[in-house]
Amino acid sequence: MRIPLLLATTWSSLLLLPSLVLSRPSPLPKSANFRNWRIKNGMNGQIKRWTNSTTIPTSEPSCAAPSAQSIAAPYMNVWSSLTDDEAASVAAWLFSQPKFNLTNTEDAGEWDNSLLMIELMEPNKTDVLNYLDNGGSTPTRYAHVIIDHRADVDPYYQDLIVGPLPLQNGTVKAESLTYPYTRKTKGKVRNLDASLDAQWSTWMYNVAASILDITLDLWNGSALGLDNDTLDVWGIDPLMQDDGIIRWDTFWNLPQTEFDSGTLLPLGLFFVSNITGRDSSKWTLDGWLYNNIFYPTTEVFREAYWSPGFEKLPANIDGSWGYTDQEGVPPPLDTDFPPMAIAPSGSRYFNDAEEQYVKWMDFEFYISFSRDTGMHLHNIKYKGERIIYELGLQEALAHYAGNDPVQSGTAYLDTFYGFGTYAFELVKGYDCPSYATYLNSTFYTSETTHTHLDSICLFETEGNFPIQRHSTSQYVAATKNIFFTVRNVCTVGNYDYMFSYEFYMDGSINVDVRASGYIQSAFFANNGDYGYHIHDALSGSMHDHVLNYKIDFDILGTKNTMTTTTNVPVSEVYPWSNGKARNTMKLQRTEITTEDEGKLDFAPNGATQFAVVNKDETNAYGEYRGYRILPSSPTIHLTVLNSSNLVNAANWAKHDLFVTRQHDTEPRSSHPYQSQDTANPPINFDDFFNGESLEQEDLVVWANVGMHHVPHTGDLPNTVFTTAHSGLQIMPLNYLDYSPVKDTVNMVRVDYGDGNLSTVISFGQGSPECGVVDLESLVPDLTSYLGDSVVRKFPYDPNDPYYETVGPSLLALNDSRCSSRIILTLGTG
Ligand SMILES: *[C@@H]1O[C@H](CO)[C@@H](O)[C@H](O)[C@H]1NC(C)=O
Ligand SMILES: *[C@@H]1O[C@H](CO)[C@@H](O)[C@H](O)[C@H]1NC(C)=O
Ligand SMILES: *[C@@H]1O[C@H](CO)[C@@H](O)[C@H](O)[C@H]1NC(C)=O
Ligand SMILES: *[C@@H]1O[C@H](CO)[C@@H](O)[C@H](O)[C@H]1NC(C)=O
Ligand SMILES: *[C@@H]1O[C@H](CO)[C@@H](O)[C@H](O)[C@H]1NC(C)=O
Ligand SMILES: *[C@@H]1O[C@H](CO)[C@@H](O)[C@H](O)[C@H]1NC(C)=O
Ligand SMILES: *[C@@H]1O[C@H](CO)[C@@H](O)[C@H](O)[C@H]1NC(C)=O
Ligand SMILES: *[C@@H]1O[C@H](CO)[C@@H](O)[C@H](O)[C@H]1NC(C)=O
Ligand SMILES: *[C@@H]1O[C@H](CO)[C@@H](O)[C@H](O)[C@H]1NC(C)=O
Ligand SMILES: *[C@@H]1O[C@H](CO)[C@@H](O)[C@H](O)[C@H]1NC(C)=O
Ligand SMILES: *[C@@H]1O[C@H](CO)[C@@H](O)[C@H](O)[C@H]1NC(C)=O
Ligand SMILES: [Cu+2]
C-alpha cells in the first residue's frame, strides 16, 4: 500500500514541515542554514516572527543513515544464541549417542524420544564478571538441551547441559542439568502431554460424536475431525493433577473466516475426562455440565436434554463483530495521513549487529534471545558503569476464574509455549517507526533453527511532552524528551504482548508491557460475578495477568542493599511550635536486611519507595547512590491465594516485588514445564528464600507487572494496547549529583523581548539539515513481510533456508515453503 504524500527528496520540500507547525503561511528561511532561524512568539500571543538566535556553535551533524551506526562491541556477547554450526554439532552428537535413543521429530510417535530444544546454556554470572571486570577468559559455552523422553511408561522432559563448545571428539559431556532447579528429583519433569498429543483428538472426537444429536440440535454443528467440522473443543491448562490427571473441555464455534475469532465463540457445554495414564482405553468420561447443571453420564445428559422444559441457551456466532478489519464510519478527517515520527539526521545510536550490542547516548547493553523467555538485556551500563547485569522476562501468567470449570481451571504459564517461539516479524511503521533498526532473533525447535526476521526493533523518538520546562516573567526554558526503545512483540496464542525497554535522558529505564489480540472469553450464563456481559452470549472472562521480570542490579559493583523510605503521618512537637503537636508527615527509613523480609508489596497510596543502593558509594552530599524501582503504570500481583490451579508453580506471582541474593544456581524464577507438575515444579520460587543476609550483597529483584483484566465491550474485537498496559520504572535515586537532563543540548531558553525581539538560546542543538529525508521510505512496503526463515539442523542444511511462520507444534505437519504474502488495502488514505 502506498500513501500519497509529498515525497521529499531535497531539503526545500522538507522545510515545509515547520510551516505546518505555525498553522498559517509564514516566511520560510531561504538558506539551508536553518538552525539560526527560530520562531518568536510575541507577548500578545498573536504575532509570530522569525528571528535570529544566540547559538553556541555546533559541530556538523553526522547525517547518518536511518538505521543504527555501526560500532564494535567492547566485549563479546557471551549471551548470544548458539550459531547454526554449534547447534547442528550438538544435534549430530546427541543423535549419535545410543543412550538418548532419539528419533527425528518429524518421524517421532508418542513412544519415541525426540529433541525439543538446543540453545545456549546461560553462562554463570561468576564467570561472566570474571571476563568483563577482571580480564578473565570468555566463559566456556555450553548447550542447554531438552529431550522429550517418551520411550517410557512415565514420560518426562529431560534438561541436559552439553559441552564444552565447540564439541571435540572424546571430550563431550552431557549431564543432567540440575543446578538451576530447586526440586529434589532434578533435571527432569514429567510430561503430561506425551500421550495426550497423540490420543486426545481421537478421544475428543469420539466424545463429541457421542452427542452429535445434541450438537446438531443446539448449534447445527459437529466436531468429528472432518473437513466440514464447525465446532472446536479445548479446555484447561494446566491439567488438574491432585487426583489422577483430569481435564475439563468445552465446545467452541470455529471461526468461519481467516480471522482468529475462535476464543470469542464459547458455547457453554462442558465435559470432564479422566485421562490418567498413557492408554486412552483406560480414560473415562466423567460427566457433562450445561447451564450450571452437572450430569454424571452422557445418558443422563441426553435424557435430560430431550426432556420437555430443558432450557437451551443461545450461542456465540462468528461474525464481523469479531473481525479486526475496519468497519463503520471513520471519524472526521481520519482518511488524511496522520502525523508520524521521523529521524531527519539519521540514527543517533550504535549497534554491533554481530554481537547484538547497542549504545545510545549514555546507555549501552547487550541483547540475548531464548525460546522460553524471548529477549533479555545484559550488562546495562549508564555513563560507563554497570547498573543492571540482567533484565528480562521470566514468566507470564494469565489466571482466569469463573463459575464454569474451563475458566476456573485456566492459568496459562506462557513460557511453556515460549515467548521466543512467537516473536514474529514486526510490522514496520506500526509496531515501530519505519526508520527503526530491525534485528533478527533465532530459536531452535525440532531439528531446525527458526530466524524471526526483523523481530526486534531499536529506535529513538520524541516523547509527547518535554522532559523539563519552566517559565518566569523573564524567560521560559524547556528540554526535549528524547528516548530510546528496544521492542519486540510475542503472539502467544490469542494474545499479543508488546515488550519495550525504554531509556531516558534522566538515566531511567522503563520496562513496559502492553497486551492486545483476542481475549479468551467465557460463555455468559450465571456468571455475572466473573465478568461483564459483552456480546450475545459472551462474558469477558476476568483474569489476572502477572509477568515476572528479573532485575539483577549491580549498582557500582555487586555490593548492594535494598532500602525503603515510607511517608508516614505523624504528630510532632518542634522546638519552634510552642509545645504544640503539629499534624504532619515524615520519612521512615528502613533496610531489607535478609531474605526473610524479601517479599514485598507496593504500599497503599504509594507510600513506600524501594531502592537498590550501594552503601559504600555516596554522592557529593553523602546520600547512597542507587536506583529506585516503582510502577510506571499500574502493576499487580495475583489476586488468587494458594491457587488450586497453580499450587507451587507460580509462587513468584504472590507479591509485587521480591529481593534475593544472587546465586548462579537461581538464574530464573520459573521453568517452562512448571505446569506439568504444579505441586512439585522444577522451580519452587519460595525455595529461593532461606534467610540469607541482603546487606551489601549481590541482589536480584524479581518484580511483577500485569493487570486485573476484566474485559469489557471495548475489548472486542481486540484488546487495545492503550489500556492493557503495565510498567516498571527503574530510576536513578541520588545516583548523580544533579539531573543528567542538564547534559543534553536539546533544550532552549527564550528571554522575553517584552513585545520586541526575544533572545533565543539553543545551546548548540543540531538542525535537521542532512539534506534528504526519504518520506517514501517512511511508508514501508509491507509486501516484503516474509515471516520466519528456517534452517534445518539435522540433517544440517545451512544452504537451503525456507520461510515459515507457524508454531512449533505445527512444524512437523507443515513444511511448506511459502514466501510471498498478499497485502489487501482497505480504503485508507
Ligand atoms: C541574523 O544574523 C545574520 C548573521 O549573523 C545577520 O547578517 C542578519 O542581519 C541577522 N538578521 C536579523 C533579522 O537580525
Ligand atoms: C528406544 O526407543 C524406541 C522407540 O523409539 C523403543 O522402542 C526402544 O525400546 C528404546 N530403546 C531403549 C534402549 O530404551
Ligand atoms: C568426530 O569423529 C567422527 C569420526 O571420526 C567425525 O566424523 C566427526 O566429524 C568428529 N566430530 C567432531 C566434532 O570433531
Ligand atoms: C446446518 O449446516 C449445514 C452445513 O453446515 C447447512 O447446509 C444448513 O443450512 C444448516 N442448517 C441450518 C438450519 O442452519
Ligand atoms: C460432513 O462431511 C461428512 C463426510 O464427508 C458428511 O457425511 C456429512 O454429511 C457432512 N456434514 C455436513 C453438515 O455437511
Ligand atoms: C482418575 O483415574 C485415576 C486412575 O484411573 C484414579 O486414580 C483417580 O482417582 C481418578 N480421578 C478421579 C477424580 O476420579
Ligand atoms: C536477518 O536475516 C536476513 C536473512 O538471513 C539477513 O538478510 C539480514 O541481514 C539479517 N539482519 C540482520 C540485522 O542481521
Ligand atoms: C493450599 O490449599 C491446599 C488445598 O486446598 C491446602 O491443602 C494447603 O494447605 C493450602 N496451603 C496454604 C499455605 O494455605
Ligand atoms: C554454574 O554454577 C553452578 C553453581 O556454582 C555450578 O554448579 C555449575 O557447574 C556452573 N555452570 C557452569 C556452566 O560452569
Ligand atoms: C521594546 O520596545 C519599546 C519601544 O520601542 C521600548 O520602549 C522597550 O524598552 C523595548 N523593550 C525591551 C525589553 O527591549
Ligand atoms: C501448510 O501451509 C500451507 C501454506 O501456508 C497451507 O496452505 C496448508 O494448509 C498448511 N498445512 C497444514 C497441514 O497446516
Ligand atoms: Cu487479558
Side-chain angles (χ1 to χ4, degrees), residues 242-246 272-277 282-284 286:
D242 52 5
D243 181 9
I245 304 299
I246 307 294
V272 57
S273 311
N274 185 338
I275 54 160
T276 309
K282 304 219 167 78
W283 295 355
T284 54
D286 288 356

Side-chain angles (χ1 to χ4, degrees), residues 121 124 127 140 142 161 179 664-665:
M121 180 69 221
N124 282 334
D127 300 331
T140 308
Y142 290 86
I161 177 168
Y179 66 85
D664 289 339
T665 52

Side-chain angles (χ1 to χ4, degrees), residues 114-306:
S114 64
L115 191 48
L116 270 182
M117 188 188 80
I118 302 177
E119 69 179 22
L120 179 79
M121 180 69 221
E122 186 188 344
N124 282 334
K125 183 176 183 183
T126 311
D127 300 331
V128 177
L129 291 193
N130 187 42
Y131 166 61
L132 294 178
D133 298 350
N134 306 331
S137 56
T138 54
T140 308
R141 279 164 80 82
Y142 290 86
H144 176 196
V145 168
I146 301 179
I147 289 177
D148 190 359
H149 191 104
R150 289 175 300 203
D152 201 310
V153 274
D154 298 312
Y156 56 89
Y157 297 106
Q158 184 174 21
D159 284 281
L160 296 175
I161 177 168
V162 179
L165 297 173
L167 297 186
Q168 310 249 315
N169 271 345
T171 64
V172 183
K173 276 204 271 185
E175 286 169 359
S176 183
L177 179 64
T178 57
Y179 66 85
Y181 309 131
T182 63
R183 78 178 222 168
K184 301 280 182 290
T185 323
K186 289 175 170 186
K188 350 174 135 166
V189 57
R190 68 185 181 192
N191 176 356
L192 298 180
D193 298 323
S195 289
L196 210 54
D197 288 345
Q199 298 178 43
W200 170 252
S201 52
T202 310
W203 170 263
M204 175 262 281
Y205 290 133
N206 285 339
V207 171
S210 76
I211 56 151
L212 182 60
D213 53 335
I214 295 174
T215 63
L216 284 172
D217 184 63
L218 268 179
W219 313 305
N220 188 30
S222 57
L224 304 171
L226 301 175
D227 286 345
N228 59 9
D229 277 0
T230 60
L231 303 177
D232 200 1
V233 176
W234 51 272
I236 62 169
D237 174 16
L239 301 172
M240 292 177 178
Q241 300 164 26
D242 52 5
D243 181 9
I245 304 299
I246 307 294
R247 58 180 292 164
W248 275 96
D249 290 275
T250 188
F251 287 81
W252 306 76
N253 260 323
L254 279 170
Q256 286 161 14
T257 70
E258 70 172 317
F259 285 99
D260 200 17
S261 48
T263 55
L264 301 180
L265 307 172
L267 292 168
L269 174 61
F270 307 87
F271 62 91
V272 57
S273 311
N274 185 338
I275 54 160
T276 309
R278 299 199 64 177
D279 179 358
S280 60
S281 72
K282 304 219 167 78
W283 295 355
T284 54
L285 176 68
D286 288 356
W288 294 89
L289 184 80
Y290 188 72
N291 200 8
N292 227 14
I293 301 167
F294 182 76
Y295 305 93
T297 66
T298 305
E299 293 66 41
V300 173
F301 176 46
R302 174 174 286 106
E303 193 183 324
Y305 185 86
W306 293 114

Side-chain angles (χ1 to χ4, degrees), residues 81-84 87 106 116 118-119 369-371 420-424 440-455 786-793 801-812 814-816:
S81 299
L82 296 182
T83 62
D84 280 351
E106 273 180 31
L116 270 182
I118 302 177
E119 69 179 22
F369 193 84
S370 72
R371 182 198 71 164
T421 326
Y422 299 108
F424 298 127
N440 297 335
S441 56
T442 60
F443 73 98
Y444 180 97
T445 186
S446 310
E447 288 91 70
T448 59
T449 300
H450 279 231
T451 298
H452 298 297
L453 300 175
D454 294 353
S455 52
L786 287 176
D788 290 354
S789 167
V790 187
V791 173
R792 176 148 293 285
K793 284 294 169 335
Y802 52 98
Y803 293 97
E804 184 173 72
T805 296
V806 293
S809 59
L810 294 176
L811 288 177
N814 199 329
D815 204 25
S816 75

